[in-house]
Amino acid sequence: MKRNLYYIAIIVSIGFACNLDRRNIKDYYYPVLDLQKGSVYVYELNVNGEKTTDYWYLMGFARDSGLYLASTNYDNQFQINQIAREKMTENGAVARSYYVYEQDSATQKAIQTEAVLKSPDIFPFSVEDSLGVFLFSLQYSPISEAQSKIYLIRNRRYLGDGSDFEFNGKKYATIRMGIREAIGNEGEGSTEIEGVGEEWYAKGIGLVYFKKVYGDKGALRREYRLKEIISMDELIKRAGIQWKG
């Protein structure tokens, strides 16, 4: 699966290099300029029927070198999971750095590990049809298992318009992205799980929904839906004494 995902992405289109695309879908990605004061996207995560809450703090910022988006993910216990920084280029959002975190039970602190970005393309701003494949991949070694090499390979493919997404009493136009993923551990004899699914991006909001199924028999099902957009002050208030940031 790992080789197949790389091969498919390379043979069809290599990242954002193609300038022959016709439809501009930039407005369906996160509104980076509007996020310069920061906002928290609150998602409901459903894993095999078990629901929990996931938080993404998003902040846009401008530098001499361009426009960037920083994102920080917190779980339902308000513990940090990952931080990423993306640059907005002419052709799409491209990852510039990516960090994952492990919780140290002894110190009750989050330990940071920098991931190696193999293929940084996150989201295309222009597409032509469903044939183009956009590749994102990374690899890292957890602090707790330095001999392991965890990897993620994700292919995105534009599928066209989706159904309207209702949020805060308004309906937003969406586009759909087909997803294929491979998540594995090279330190365990190339243990790997495959996943397929679909993402929805709403105009003026960004990612509002996804559904992914993993394993040969679909044993693991994950569904993700945007429920609220709040301020960081509100997130801190909700976290209370549990705050781990």
Side-chain angles (χ1 to χ4, degrees):
M1 178 66 171
K2 182 178 180 181
R3 291 182 179 179
N4 288 344
L5 282 176
Y6 275 124
Y7 179 73
I8 289 170
I10 292 171
I11 197 169
V12 178
S13 65
I14 302 177
F16 303 134
C18 179
N19 292 315
L20 300 177
D21 304 325
R22 297 176 182 174
R23 183 179 181 185
N24 188 321
I25 59 171
K26 183 177 182 179
D27 289 344
Y28 290 84
Y29 198 54
Y30 295 108
V32 180
L33 287 174
D34 295 337
L35 290 169
Q36 292 186 81
K37 292 185 178 180
S39 292
V40 178
Y41 281 46
V42 183
Y43 292 93
E44 180 182 83
L45 173 60
N46 187 329
V47 181
N48 288 356
E50 295 291 329
K51 295 181 180 179
T52 187
T53 306
D54 204 41
Y55 304 91
W56 283 90
Y57 176 57
L58 304 175
M59 175 174 281
F61 58 97
R63 294 290 185 268
D64 291 342
S65 55
L67 186 63
Y68 295 84
L69 177 67
S71 58
T72 304
N73 175 230
Y74 300 94
D75 64 18
N76 65 327
Q77 298 298 313
F78 306 102
Q79 294 178 330
I80 189 169
N81 284 330
Q82 54 188 277
I83 292 178
R85 182 171 60 91
E86 309 165 22
K87 182 177 182 180
M88 303 301 113
T89 71
E90 181 180 351
N91 295 313
V94 179
R96 285 292 181 257
S97 62
Y98 206 104
Y99 297 89
V100 296
Y101 288 78
E102 295 176 75
Q103 299 300 319
D104 187 334
S105 58
T107 63
Q108 298 298 309
K109 293 183 178 180
I111 302 175
Q112 181 189 85
T113 299
E114 184 172 8
V116 176
L117 292 164
K118 299 289 189 178
S119 300
D121 296 337
I122 294 178
F123 187 90
F125 289 164
S126 57
V127 290
E128 184 175 12
D129 51 37
S130 62
L131 295 179
V133 176
F134 305 92
L135 175 65
F136 173 78
S137 68
L138 59 77
Q139 179 178 291
Y140 70 96
S141 295
I143 296 294
S144 58
E145 298 180 42
Q147 73 281 4
S148 297
K149 289 185 179 180
I150 308 297
Y151 62 83
L152 164 68
I153 304 169
R154 178 180 293 133
N155 283 348
R156 283 190 172 92
R157 181 167 58 91
Y158 172 67
L159 298 178
D161 291 324
S163 302
D164 286 349
F165 184 83
E166 189 167 339
F167 182 70
N168 288 343
K170 291 180 60 178
K171 290 184 177 180
Y172 293 83
T174 69
I175 58 166
R176 299 159 53 225
M177 288 284 185
I179 298 293
R180 292 186 66 193
E181 292 183 344
I183 303 170
N185 186 344
E186 292 183 350
E188 296 182 356
S190 297
T191 302
E192 183 176 273
I193 185 171
E194 303 173 10
V196 295
E198 187 173 300
E199 296 174 333
W200 295 0
Y201 291 82
K203 192 172 185 179
I205 299 179
L207 178 67
V208 293
Y209 175 82
F210 75 59
K211 186 173 184 179
K212 299 177 184 178
V213 179
Y214 297 86
D216 293 337
K217 297 182 180 180
L220 176 61
R221 294 176 176 270
R222 302 179 77 241
E223 195 168 4
Y224 210 57
R225 183 180 295 270
L226 181 66
K227 304 298 290 184
E228 300 177 88
I229 297 178
I230 62 176
S231 67
M232 175 53 84
D233 286 343
E234 175 62 22
L235 179 65
I236 293 173
K237 180 180 178 181
R238 294 184 186 186
I241 61 173
Q242 300 181 73
W243 180 249
K244 305 293 184 180

mmCIF file of all heavy atoms in Angstrom, residues 81-83 98-102 111-115 138 140 142:
data_model
loop_
_atom_site.group_PDB
_atom_site.id
_atom_site.type_symbol
_atom_site.label_atom_id
_atom_site.label_comp_id
_atom_site.label_asym_id
_atom_site.label_seq_id
_atom_site.Cartn_x
_atom_site.Cartn_y
_atom_site.Cartn_z
ATOM 1 N N ASN A 81 -1.720 17.423 20.913
ATOM 2 C CA ASN A 81 -1.371 16.255 20.100
ATOM 3 C C ASN A 81 -0.389 16.584 18.990
ATOM 4 O O ASN A 81 0.516 15.809 18.703
ATOM 5 C CB ASN A 81 -2.627 15.640 19.469
ATOM 6 C CG ASN A 81 -3.442 14.851 20.456
ATOM 7 O OD1 ASN A 81 -2.899 14.290 21.410
ATOM 8 N ND2 ASN A 81 -4.746 14.812 20.257
ATOM 9 N N GLN A 82 -0.586 17.713 18.338
ATOM 10 C CA GLN A 82 0.283 18.066 17.218
ATOM 11 C C GLN A 82 0.211 19.548 16.911
ATOM 12 O O GLN A 82 -0.770 20.224 17.240
ATOM 13 C CB GLN A 82 -0.073 17.260 15.973
ATOM 14 C CG GLN A 82 -1.529 17.346 15.557
ATOM 15 C CD GLN A 82 -1.867 16.389 14.444
ATOM 16 O OE1 GLN A 82 -1.643 16.686 13.269
ATOM 17 N NE2 GLN A 82 -2.413 15.238 14.791
ATOM 18 N N ILE A 83 1.271 20.039 16.291
ATOM 19 C CA ILE A 83 1.334 21.418 15.817
ATOM 20 C C ILE A 83 1.894 21.398 14.396
ATOM 21 O O ILE A 83 2.882 20.712 14.127
ATOM 22 C CB ILE A 83 2.242 22.288 16.714
ATOM 23 C CG1 ILE A 83 1.625 22.474 18.100
ATOM 24 C CG2 ILE A 83 2.478 23.652 16.075
ATOM 25 C CD1 ILE A 83 2.497 23.283 19.050
ATOM 26 N N TYR A 98 6.048 20.206 11.140
ATOM 27 C CA TYR A 98 5.020 19.348 11.725
ATOM 28 C C TYR A 98 5.606 18.685 12.971
ATOM 29 O O TYR A 98 6.657 18.042 12.904
ATOM 30 C CB TYR A 98 4.600 18.270 10.713
ATOM 31 C CG TYR A 98 3.205 17.730 10.898
ATOM 32 C CD1 TYR A 98 2.172 18.122 10.058
ATOM 33 C CD2 TYR A 98 2.911 16.822 11.914
ATOM 34 C CE1 TYR A 98 0.891 17.624 10.209
ATOM 35 C CE2 TYR A 98 1.629 16.323 12.075
ATOM 36 C CZ TYR A 98 0.630 16.722 11.219
ATOM 37 O OH TYR A 98 -0.644 16.236 11.381
ATOM 38 N N TYR A 99 4.937 18.857 14.104
ATOM 39 C CA TYR A 99 5.401 18.292 15.368
ATOM 40 C C TYR A 99 4.299 17.420 15.985
ATOM 41 O O TYR A 99 3.121 17.798 15.955
ATOM 42 C CB TYR A 99 5.770 19.395 16.358
ATOM 43 C CG TYR A 99 6.925 20.264 15.910
ATOM 44 C CD1 TYR A 99 6.707 21.399 15.133
ATOM 45 C CD2 TYR A 99 8.232 19.943 16.255
ATOM 46 C CE1 TYR A 99 7.761 22.194 14.710
ATOM 47 C CE2 TYR A 99 9.294 20.732 15.848
ATOM 48 C CZ TYR A 99 9.049 21.855 15.072
ATOM 49 O OH TYR A 99 10.104 22.649 14.644
ATOM 50 N N VAL A 100 4.671 16.277 16.513
ATOM 51 C CA VAL A 100 3.742 15.421 17.240
ATOM 52 C C VAL A 100 4.169 15.389 18.704
ATOM 53 O O VAL A 100 5.334 15.616 19.037
ATOM 54 C CB VAL A 100 3.702 13.993 16.654
ATOM 55 C CG1 VAL A 100 3.181 14.013 15.233
ATOM 56 C CG2 VAL A 100 5.093 13.350 16.694
ATOM 57 N N TYR A 101 3.204 15.096 19.578
ATOM 58 C CA TYR A 101 3.466 15.146 21.023
ATOM 59 C C TYR A 101 3.035 13.853 21.702
ATOM 60 O O TYR A 101 2.020 13.249 21.341
ATOM 61 C CB TYR A 101 2.705 16.323 21.650
ATOM 62 C CG TYR A 101 3.286 17.662 21.281
ATOM 63 C CD1 TYR A 101 3.029 18.235 20.038
ATOM 64 C CD2 TYR A 101 4.102 18.361 22.159
ATOM 65 C CE1 TYR A 101 3.561 19.458 19.680
ATOM 66 C CE2 TYR A 101 4.637 19.593 21.818
ATOM 67 C CZ TYR A 101 4.372 20.138 20.581
ATOM 68 O OH TYR A 101 4.908 21.358 20.221
ATOM 69 N N GLU A 102 3.814 13.451 22.688
ATOM 70 C CA GLU A 102 3.479 12.326 23.556
ATOM 71 C C GLU A 102 3.353 12.838 24.984
ATOM 72 O O GLU A 102 4.125 13.705 25.393
ATOM 73 C CB GLU A 102 4.575 11.256 23.520
ATOM 74 C CG GLU A 102 4.764 10.577 22.194
ATOM 75 C CD GLU A 102 5.926 9.607 22.260
ATOM 76 O OE1 GLU A 102 5.753 8.527 22.863
ATOM 77 O OE2 GLU A 102 7.006 9.939 21.746
ATOM 78 N N ILE A 111 5.785 15.817 25.374
ATOM 79 C CA ILE A 111 7.121 15.763 24.782
ATOM 80 C C ILE A 111 7.000 15.905 23.266
ATOM 81 O O ILE A 111 6.244 15.181 22.615
ATOM 82 C CB ILE A 111 7.824 14.440 25.130
ATOM 83 C CG1 ILE A 111 7.920 14.284 26.653
ATOM 84 C CG2 ILE A 111 9.211 14.393 24.507
ATOM 85 C CD1 ILE A 111 8.489 12.957 27.089
ATOM 86 N N GLN A 112 7.757 16.823 22.714
ATOM 87 C CA GLN A 112 7.665 17.160 21.293
ATOM 88 C C GLN A 112 8.633 16.351 20.445
ATOM 89 O O GLN A 112 9.787 16.140 20.810
ATOM 90 C CB GLN A 112 7.954 18.647 21.120
ATOM 91 C CG GLN A 112 7.874 19.153 19.691
ATOM 92 C CD GLN A 112 8.393 20.577 19.578
ATOM 93 O OE1 GLN A 112 9.587 20.799 19.429
ATOM 94 N NE2 GLN A 112 7.492 21.540 19.684
ATOM 95 N N THR A 113 8.147 15.888 19.287
ATOM 96 C CA THR A 113 8.997 15.241 18.287
ATOM 97 C C THR A 113 8.718 15.883 16.929
ATOM 98 O O THR A 113 7.557 16.009 16.525
ATOM 99 C CB THR A 113 8.699 13.731 18.184
ATOM 100 O OG1 THR A 113 8.950 13.111 19.443
ATOM 101 C CG2 THR A 113 9.572 13.079 17.123
ATOM 102 N N GLU A 114 9.767 16.288 16.236
ATOM 103 C CA GLU A 114 9.577 16.868 14.906
ATOM 104 C C GLU A 114 9.495 15.763 13.866
ATOM 105 O O GLU A 114 10.351 14.887 13.798
ATOM 106 C CB GLU A 114 10.713 17.822 14.555
ATOM 107 C CG GLU A 114 10.494 18.524 13.225
ATOM 108 C CD GLU A 114 11.511 19.609 12.937
ATOM 109 O OE1 GLU A 114 12.490 19.728 13.702
ATOM 110 O OE2 GLU A 114 11.323 20.347 11.953
ATOM 111 N N ALA A 115 8.456 15.819 13.052
ATOM 112 C CA ALA A 115 8.293 14.849 11.978
ATOM 113 C C ALA A 115 9.056 15.307 10.741
ATOM 114 O O ALA A 115 9.252 16.507 10.511
ATOM 115 C CB ALA A 115 6.814 14.678 11.638
ATOM 116 N N LEU A 138 4.556 12.008 5.886
ATOM 117 C CA LEU A 138 5.545 12.352 6.898
ATOM 118 C C LEU A 138 5.996 11.088 7.611
ATOM 119 O O LEU A 138 5.400 10.022 7.481
ATOM 120 C CB LEU A 138 4.988 13.371 7.897
ATOM 121 C CG LEU A 138 3.732 13.019 8.708
ATOM 122 C CD1 LEU A 138 4.014 12.075 9.867
ATOM 123 C CD2 LEU A 138 3.084 14.294 9.240
ATOM 124 N N TYR A 140 8.120 9.921 11.536
ATOM 125 C CA TYR A 140 8.765 10.346 12.784
ATOM 126 C C TYR A 140 9.023 9.135 13.668
ATOM 127 O O TYR A 140 8.413 8.073 13.501
ATOM 128 C CB TYR A 140 7.901 11.373 13.534
ATOM 129 C CG TYR A 140 6.629 10.812 14.131
ATOM 130 C CD1 TYR A 140 6.581 10.416 15.474
ATOM 131 C CD2 TYR A 140 5.478 10.682 13.365
ATOM 132 C CE1 TYR A 140 5.426 9.905 16.034
ATOM 133 C CE2 TYR A 140 4.313 10.176 13.913
ATOM 134 C CZ TYR A 140 4.294 9.781 15.250
ATOM 135 O OH TYR A 140 3.141 9.267 15.790
ATOM 136 N N PRO A 142 8.840 8.077 17.584
ATOM 137 C CA PRO A 142 8.346 8.496 18.901
ATOM 138 C C PRO A 142 9.461 8.455 19.947
ATOM 139 O O PRO A 142 10.346 7.598 19.886
ATOM 140 C CB PRO A 142 7.261 7.454 19.221
ATOM 141 C CG PRO A 142 6.927 6.815 17.916
ATOM 142 C CD PRO A 142 8.159 6.867 17.091
#
